[in-house]
Amino acid sequence: MITLYDLAFEEDRRPSPFCWRAKFSLAHKGLDYTDVPMGFTEKEKIAFADSRTVPVIKDGEKPVKDSWAIAVYLDDMYPEKLLLKSEMGRSYARFINGWADTVINAALFPLIVGDLYDRVRPEDKPYFAESRGARLGTKDFTAFQERAREKGLATLRTALEPARRALREQKFLSGAEAAYPDYILAGSFMWPRTISPLELLDADDPVHAWRERMLDLFDGMARKAKTA
Amino acid sequence: MITLYDLAFEEDRRPSPFCWRAKFSLAHKGLDYTDVPMGFTEKEKIAFADSRTVPVIKDGEKPVKDSWAIAVYLDDMYPEKLLLKSEMGRSYARFINGWADTVINAALFPLIVGDLYDRVRPEDKPYFAESRGARLGTKDFTAFQERAREKGLATLRTALEPARRALREQKFLSGAEAAYPDYILAGSFMWPRTISPLELLDADDPVHAWRERMLDLFDGMARKAKTA
C-alpha cells in the first residue's frame, strides 16, 4: 500500500508541480495510493523520510523522497508501464526536468506568486512570506505579480517554443503516448491552474491542445482537481 | 556513395551548425562521403535537391535536404547504429532540435555575428550583410557583437542549464554514449569554434567537459576542423 504526501493549500487545493509529477506517475502505473495532504509547515509529517519537502511516498515501510527518485523507484519496483522507458527516455526526462525547473517554473513563479500567497493556508502564510519574500526581495506579492505579468507572460510563451515545436509533430512530448517528460511539464501547468485565474496560453497554441489532453488522462484526474 | 554539401567560409572553415548535425550523423554511422564545400551564394549546387540551404546529401541518386530529414533518412536506410534509437529518442531529439534552434543558436548568433561576417567568403559578404543586416537592423556587425557580449555570454550560460544538469549525471545528453541529441548541441558549439576566438564556457563547466568529449569522438573529427 502506497501513501503519498501532497502539498495542500486552502480549500484543499493541490498546486505543487513536483507532487503532480508523482501523482501522474502513480496514475500512469495504475497504482492506488492513500493521499495525505500537508501544509508547508507540517514538516513533522515527512520527517520519517528524512525530507523537508514533498512529494514523499511510503510504499509499505519504504520511504522515497523527491519526485525524480520516486519516478525511478516506481519504474524499478513496478516495471510494467515504464515512465522513463529506456536510456534515451531517462535522458530526455532528465533534460525536461532541468528545463522545467530552471526555465518554465522560473518563468511561472513571478506570474502567480500573489495568487499563491492568497491561497496558502493561513497557518502557512508567515512561512511562505518569509521564504518567498527573501527570494524576491519584497513581500508585496500582489504588486510583484502585477508587474511581472507585463512582460512575463510573453517570456513564458517564448520559453515554451521547444515543447511547441515537438507538439506540432506529435500528440505528447514522449510521442504517441504520454510518459514522464509529459508529466513533468503537466505538473508545471497544474501549479497555476489550481490557484490562479490567469490564462497562460492562446487557444490555438499546440501547447494548449496538449494541456487539454493531459487534463483528460486517467479519467480526467488532473481536470477534476480543484481549480482557482 | 554519399555526397554532402557543406557550407564553407574563407580558408575552408566550416561553421554551419546544421551541417555539423549531418557530419556527426554520418560519422556515427561510419559512412564515408564525398565533401562538397559551397558558399552562401552557390545555390545552384543544391538546386538538384530543390533546396536553398545546406546540409543536403545525395545518396546514390537520392537527394535529401534538411538536417532533421537527413538523420531520419540515415536511420531508415542504415539502421545499424541508430541516431534516434526509439520513439522516446526521436521525441528527445525533436525537443533538443527546437531548443537548440530557438534558444541556444539564438543566444549564440549575436555573440559571433561580427566574427562570422569577417570570415565569410568575399563573394558571399554582400549576401550575408543583406540577410543578417535585415534581421539585426544594422550592418555594423562588429559593434553589434561587442554590445551583445556584455550580457549575452551570461544569457547563453544560463540557457545551457538544462544540459548542464543532465551532464552532471551522465557522460552525454543521450546517456552513456552520444547520439543525435548530442550531435545537435555539438553542432551549435562548432559554429563559434570554427570562426571566433571567443571562449564561451568556464573550464569547470560540465558542458565544457562534454564539449571536449564531443571533439574527441570519431578520431577527433570535430577537433581537426579548422578553428579561428
Side-chain angles (χ1 to χ4, degrees):
Chain A
M1 193 59 213
I2 296 174
T3 306
L4 169 73
Y5 296 80
D6 187 13
L7 186 68
F9 278 35
E10 254 196 313
E11 300 173 12
D12 206 31
R13 295 172 197 286
R14 306 295 182 91
S16 164
F18 309 107
C19 292
W20 276 104
R21 294 178 194 176
K23 284 181 277 187
F24 277 111
S25 296
L26 289 161
H28 178 96
K29 298 277 184 193
L31 292 168
D32 276 335
Y33 61 92
T34 305
D35 165 72
V36 179
M38 59 168 275
F40 277 113
T41 51
E42 297 180 283
K43 306 280 189 203
E44 75 284 356
K45 282 193 181 175
I46 50 171
F48 76 91
D50 194 25
S51 184
R52 295 180 55 78
T53 54
V54 283
V56 161
I57 65 166
K58 194 173 171 184
D59 186 8
E61 289 308 304
K62 168 81 177 166
V64 188
K65 62 181 175 180
D66 176 76
S67 57
W68 178 261
I70 290 170
V72 170
Y73 170 83
L74 292 177
D75 265 0
D76 283 347
M77 293 297 287
Y78 307 96
E80 219 167 285
K81 289 180 179 175
L82 291 173
L83 292 158
L84 303 169
K85 306 224 171 180
S86 63
E87 191 180 4
M88 276 290 245
R90 178 189 279 241
S91 300
Y92 184 19
R94 214 168 232 153
F95 189 92
I96 294 288
N97 227 29
W99 177 72
D101 290 351
T102 65
V103 180
I104 301 305
N105 293 355
L108 280 168
F109 178 66
L111 303 179
I112 59 171
V113 62
D115 292 336
L116 282 166
Y117 183 66
D118 288 345
R119 287 163 183 84
V120 165
R121 288 181 177 180
E123 61 271 33
D124 291 338
K125 277 195 196 294
Y127 168 87
F128 187 96
E130 280 308 317
S131 58
R132 275 55 177 176
R135 200 191 297 172
L136 298 180
T138 175
K139 288 182 185 172
D140 188 347
F141 300 120
T142 306
F144 186 92
Q145 168 181 288
E146 203 74 21
R147 276 196 311 277
R149 287 181 183 181
E150 284 168 30
K151 290 187 176 172
L153 202 56
T155 302
L156 173 72
R157 291 175 181 187
T158 301
L160 285 165
E161 187 60 21
R164 187 173 295 118
R165 290 193 175 197
L167 294 169
R168 278 203 192 101
E169 305 295 327
Q170 51 193 57
K171 272 181 80 176
F172 295 99
L173 291 179
S174 308
E177 293 186 15
Y180 202 65
D182 295 277
Y183 304 144
I184 297 169
L185 187 60
S188 294
F189 279 107
M190 291 308 290
W191 195 23
R193 178 178 170 87
T194 49
I195 52 84
S196 175
L198 179 67
E199 180 45 64
L200 299 163
L201 301 172
D202 281 329
D204 63 352
D205 188 337
V207 183
H208 187 290
W210 163 86
R211 193 180 57 183
E212 291 297 309
R213 287 193 286 277
M214 296 308 295
L215 291 168
D216 287 338
L217 287 181
F218 316 124
D219 292 321
M221 174 188 73
R223 196 183 290 284
K224 286 174 198 156
K226 194 158 192 175
T227 65
Chain B
M1 193 58 213
I2 297 174
T3 306
L4 169 73
Y5 295 80
D6 186 14
L7 185 67
F9 277 36
E10 254 196 315
E11 299 173 13
D12 206 30
R13 296 171 197 285
R14 306 294 182 91
S16 164
F18 309 106
C19 291
W20 276 104
R21 295 177 193 176
K23 285 181 276 188
F24 276 111
S25 297
L26 289 161
H28 179 97
K29 298 276 182 192
L31 292 168
D32 276 333
Y33 60 93
T34 304
D35 165 71
V36 180
M38 59 167 275
F40 278 112
T41 51
E42 297 179 282
K43 306 280 190 204
E44 75 283 355
K45 282 193 181 174
I46 50 171
F48 75 92
D50 193 26
S51 184
R52 294 181 55 78
T53 55
V54 283
V56 161
I57 65 167
K58 193 173 171 184
D59 186 8
E61 290 307 304
K62 168 81 177 166
V64 188
K65 62 180 175 180
D66 176 77
S67 56
W68 179 262
I70 290 169
V72 170
Y73 171 82
L74 292 177
D75 266 0
D76 284 347
M77 293 297 286
Y78 307 95
E80 218 166 287
K81 291 181 177 173
L82 291 173
L83 291 158
L84 303 170
K85 306 224 171 178
S86 62
E87 190 179 5
M88 277 290 245
R90 179 190 278 241
S91 299
Y92 184 19
R94 213 167 232 155
F95 189 92
I96 294 289
N97 226 29
W99 176 73
D101 290 351
T102 65
V103 180
I104 301 304
N105 293 354
L108 279 168
F109 179 66
L111 304 179
I112 58 170
V113 62
D115 292 337
L116 283 166
Y117 183 66
D118 288 346
R119 288 164 182 84
V120 166
R121 288 181 178 180
E123 61 270 33
D124 291 337
K125 277 194 196 293
Y127 168 87
F128 187 97
E130 280 309 317
S131 57
R132 275 55 177 176
R135 200 192 297 173
L136 299 179
T138 174
K139 288 183 186 171
D140 188 346
F141 300 120
T142 306
F144 186 92
Q145 167 180 290
E146 203 74 21
R147 277 197 309 279
R149 287 182 183 181
E150 284 168 29
K151 291 186 175 173
L153 202 55
T155 302
L156 173 72
R157 290 175 182 186
T158 301
L160 286 164
E161 187 60 20
R164 187 173 295 118
R165 291 192 174 198
L167 294 169
R168 276 202 195 102
E169 305 294 326
Q170 52 193 55
K171 272 181 79 176
F172 295 99
L173 291 179
S174 309
E177 293 185 14
Y180 202 65
D182 296 277
Y183 304 144
I184 296 169
L185 188 58
S188 294
F189 279 107
M190 292 306 290
W191 195 23
R193 179 178 168 87
T194 48
I195 53 83
S196 175
L198 179 67
E199 180 46 63
L200 299 162
L201 301 172
D202 281 328
D204 63 352
D205 188 337
V207 183
H208 187 289
W210 164 85
R211 193 180 57 183
E212 291 297 308
R213 288 194 284 277
M214 296 306 294
L215 291 169
D216 288 338
L217 288 181
F218 316 124
D219 292 321
M221 174 188 74
R223 197 183 289 285
K224 286 174 198 156
K226 193 159 193 175
T227 65

